[in-house]
Every structure is written in C-alpha cells, then in structure tokens.
C-alpha cells in the first residue's frame, strides 16, 4: 500500500464557492481514498463526514461544487433502492497520471490542524516551484517581503483571507517567511519518494536549511554526486563511534551559520573540502 497521495497542481485553478480551502481538503481526502491504480473512489458522503469530522450537510454542499470541476475529478452519481429507500452513491474518478503534481505523505490527513489550514497548505504547495517547498513572488512588498496580492490571485482567494491564513500557518509552525516568499516546513510534503542515498542527502540539506529559515538549494545532480561520494553510507548504518561521519553531524559542525543564499556547491565545499580549481590564464605563444 502506498503511503503517499499524488495531488495535481491544478487544484490552484479551483474557483467555486466561498470555502475553497475546505473544498480542496475534501478533494484531497477523496483522492486519498481512491484506488491508486484506477483512480476510482466510492467513498460515501457519510463516511467522508465521519473520517474528516466535517458535518454531513457541509459535505453534501461541497460535492456539487467539486462536480463542477471535471478537470480535477469526474463525479457520477448512481441511485439505488434498498428496502424501499433510495440511496445515492457517488463515484469519483481521478487522473492517475497528471502532468504536474506533488506528493503528500498520508500522515498529513491525521494531523491536528484546522481543516482550512490543511486545505490552504495544499494550495500553497500547488504554487511552489517544482521540486521545492518554496513560494516566491515576482513582486515584493515595500519591506521586501512576499506580495500577498500575487499569492491571493494565484489561489483565487481574497487578500484578507490569504493574509490571515499565512499568519495562522506561521503561528502553527507550518511555514516560514523568507525573502519575497515562504517555505513550507510541514514535513508531509516530500520532495521525492524514492528511498536512495542521494535523496536522503538532498532532503537532509533542505531540512537543515529550512530549520534555519534559509531557502534550500536547487537540486544539482553534479554537485549531489560529489556529496554522495563522501556520504554514501546511510547514517542509520554507521556504528555509534562513527556517527561523526554522517552528513547530519557534519552539517551541524561545519555549517553552523549559513549565508543568506546557498547552493549545493556551497555544501560541497563545506562538507567535502572540495574547492573549484581556478582556470589558468591562456598565454599566446608567437612564433617568428
């Protein structure tokens, strides 16, 4: 069984009703309950209400709004009769291979967070740069911070709502403010899912940067290979007396203070003692 859900980034196109964040969370929860291979879910509205804690009347109002967005999910309704009672069954069909998507660790659905905050986090993730948990606005406010209006426009939300939700996410430790944007610090949005040493190294560096409110470096396979050459033994496999050889230990020892902007090349120099070789000037030889 997969322990993550694939969510299309097209959720930021959703523009139906006045409870977009709650609607998007319910969309994601139904996706969680779908068959990973077929993309089909038959979850009932009553069960959806019970699992999410959202009143059944609210669920019944959300489903028709989702139905108006077939690009996200196709919903068909079948009516059956049982014991002289008509029963409505919704069938949800999702695209199992979206063009642009992100991963959500299934632990996310069980976090003790307000539903609107969860839905807002999903929307924020949908406008992150691919392969990152970073939101950066093109324009900045007068104090160099993120342009809230730009984020609101991308999410089809009003500025007041976005401002309130951003502040709530910060207070709950779900995001951190950086120059002209934010970083999602909730660890339920993995950048990759393959269990490889390189991914572990990159994820460890990204987490270290995020904890220090520094924008993590972009992935660079060339530089990542250099780090992997030195830190290719998983830390949990190192003997107790050799834990100092792990990348987590070395980050804390060698990179206690980070510059405002970092690249993977910065960590290669700091952690591997590798310096870029300077190119010698080319002198021309004239033969007479």
């Amino acid at each position: 069984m997969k322990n993550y859900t694939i969510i299309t980034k097209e959720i930021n196109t959703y523009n139906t009703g006045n409870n977009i964040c709650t609607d998007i969370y319910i969309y994601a929860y139904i996706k969680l309950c779908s068959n990973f291979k077929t993309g089909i879910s038959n979850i009932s509205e009553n069960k959806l209400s019970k699992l999410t804690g959202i009143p059944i009347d609210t669920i019944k109002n959300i489903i028709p709004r989702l139905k108006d967005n077939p690009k996200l999910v196709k919903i068909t309704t079948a009516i059956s009769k049982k014991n002289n009672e008509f029963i409505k069954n919704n069938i949800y069909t999702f695209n199992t291979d979206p063009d642009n998507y992100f991963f959500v660790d299934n632990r996310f659905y069980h976090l003790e967070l307000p539903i609107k905050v969860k839905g807002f986090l999903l929307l924020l993730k949908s406008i992150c740069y691919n392969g990152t948990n970073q939101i950066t606005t093109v324009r900045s406010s007068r104090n160099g911070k993120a342009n809230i209006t730009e984020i609101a426009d991308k999410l089809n939300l009003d500025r007041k709502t976005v401002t309130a939700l951003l502040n709530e996410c910060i207070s709950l430790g779900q995001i951190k403010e950086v120059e002209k944007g934010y970083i999602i610090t909730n660890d339920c949005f993995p950048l990759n899912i393959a269990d490889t040493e390189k991914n572990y190294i990159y994820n460890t560096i990204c987490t270290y940067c995020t904890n220090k409110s520094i924008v993590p470096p972009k992935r660079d396979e060339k530089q990542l290979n250099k780090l992997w050459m030195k830190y290719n033994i998983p830390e949990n496999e190192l003997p107790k007396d050799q834990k100092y050889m792990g990348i987590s230990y070395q980050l804390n020892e060698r990179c206690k203070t980070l510059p405002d902007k970092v690249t993977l090349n910065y960590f290669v120099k700091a952690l591997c003692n590798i310096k870029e070789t300077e190119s010698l000037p080319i002198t021309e030889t004239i033969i007479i």
Side-chain angles (χ1 to χ4, degrees):
M1 182 180 292
K2 301 289 184 181
N3 59 356
Y4 61 87
T5 309
I6 294 176
I7 302 295
T8 176
K9 284 196 167 187
E10 284 195 68
I11 58 174
N12 60 47
T13 65
Y14 186 84
N15 189 23
T16 308
N18 299 317
N19 297 293
I20 291 177
C21 293
T22 302
D23 290 8
I24 289 302
Y25 178 72
I26 290 301
Y27 161 85
Y29 204 99
I30 298 171
K31 181 68 165 62
L32 165 70
C33 299
S34 66
N35 183 287
F36 191 82
K37 293 182 178 179
T38 65
I40 295 175
S41 173
N42 297 294
I43 187 170
S44 69
E45 293 177 350
N46 286 325
K47 187 173 183 180
L48 196 55
S49 173
K50 184 178 180 180
L51 290 173
T52 61
I54 296 175
I56 183 63
D57 289 341
T58 302
I59 296 292
K60 288 182 176 180
N61 288 330
I62 291 174
I63 301 306
R65 295 198 291 266
L66 292 177
K67 199 170 186 178
D68 289 337
N69 291 267
K71 284 187 176 181
L72 296 182
V73 56
K74 293 180 180 178
I75 305 175
T76 56
T77 302
I79 305 295
S80 59
K81 189 176 181 180
K82 184 177 181 181
N83 298 328
N84 294 322
E85 182 181 354
F86 290 99
I87 301 173
K88 182 177 72 171
N89 298 300
N90 293 321
I91 302 172
Y92 308 88
T93 304
F94 296 88
N95 180 2
T96 58
D97 188 26
D99 292 330
N100 207 357
Y101 58 88
F102 58 92
F103 302 108
V104 180
D105 189 306
N106 291 343
R107 292 181 296 110
F108 177 75
Y109 302 98
H110 305 290
L111 296 178
E112 294 293 330
L113 290 173
I115 296 296
K116 282 189 176 181
V117 168
K118 288 184 179 180
F120 185 63
L121 286 171
L122 290 167
L123 287 169
L124 281 181
K125 177 61 180 177
S126 74
I127 61 171
C128 286
Y129 290 126
N130 284 345
T132 78
N133 283 326
Q134 174 190 349
I135 304 103
T136 302
T137 57
V138 175
R139 305 183 301 277
S140 63
S141 60
R142 293 179 181 177
N143 55 8
K145 296 185 177 182
N147 187 297
I148 306 300
T149 300
E150 188 176 318
I151 294 176
D153 290 343
K154 288 181 179 180
L155 300 181
N156 297 306
L157 297 169
D158 63 86
R159 192 181 191 283
K160 183 178 179 181
T161 298
V162 170
T163 300
L165 284 168
L166 285 171
N167 290 334
E168 187 172 3
C169 285
I170 291 173
S171 67
L172 291 170
Q174 302 302 301
I175 64 173
K176 283 187 176 182
E177 195 170 12
V178 294
E179 183 183 359
K180 293 175 64 176
Y182 299 89
I183 302 174
I184 298 175
T185 55
N186 185 306
D187 65 356
C188 288
F189 297 97
L191 301 180
N192 41 67
I193 56 172
D195 187 16
T196 67
E197 288 87 354
K198 289 183 184 178
N199 281 346
Y200 176 79
I201 291 169
Y202 182 65
N203 294 343
T204 301
I205 290 174
C206 287
T207 300
Y208 188 77
C209 290
T210 299
N211 289 339
K212 290 183 173 291
S213 297
I214 299 296
V215 176
K218 292 182 179 180
R219 188 167 180 127
D220 182 328
E221 292 299 328
K222 180 180 178 181
Q223 302 303 330
L224 198 54
N225 280 334
K226 295 177 183 178
L227 289 163
W228 176 76
M229 290 292 290
K230 184 164 185 177
Y231 300 99
N232 52 27
I233 301 177
E235 289 185 287
N236 59 357
E237 294 181 12
L238 288 170
K240 289 184 178 180
D241 60 345
Q242 294 181 15
K243 292 297 183 183
Y244 67 90
M245 297 174 62
I247 190 166
S248 295
Y249 182 94
Q250 291 300 320
L251 279 169
N252 284 292
E253 286 296 310
R254 301 190 184 195
C255 305
K256 293 179 179 180
T257 303
L258 295 177
D260 292 337
K261 295 181 180 180
V262 294
T263 63
L264 276 184
N265 183 47
Y266 166 84
F267 289 102
V268 168
K269 293 178 180 179
L271 300 175
C272 302
N273 296 322
I274 296 177
K275 295 183 179 180
E276 295 293 330
T277 55
E278 296 183 2
S279 56
L280 298 175
I282 299 175
T283 56
E284 294 185 2
T285 302
I286 302 177
I287 301 176
I288 301 178

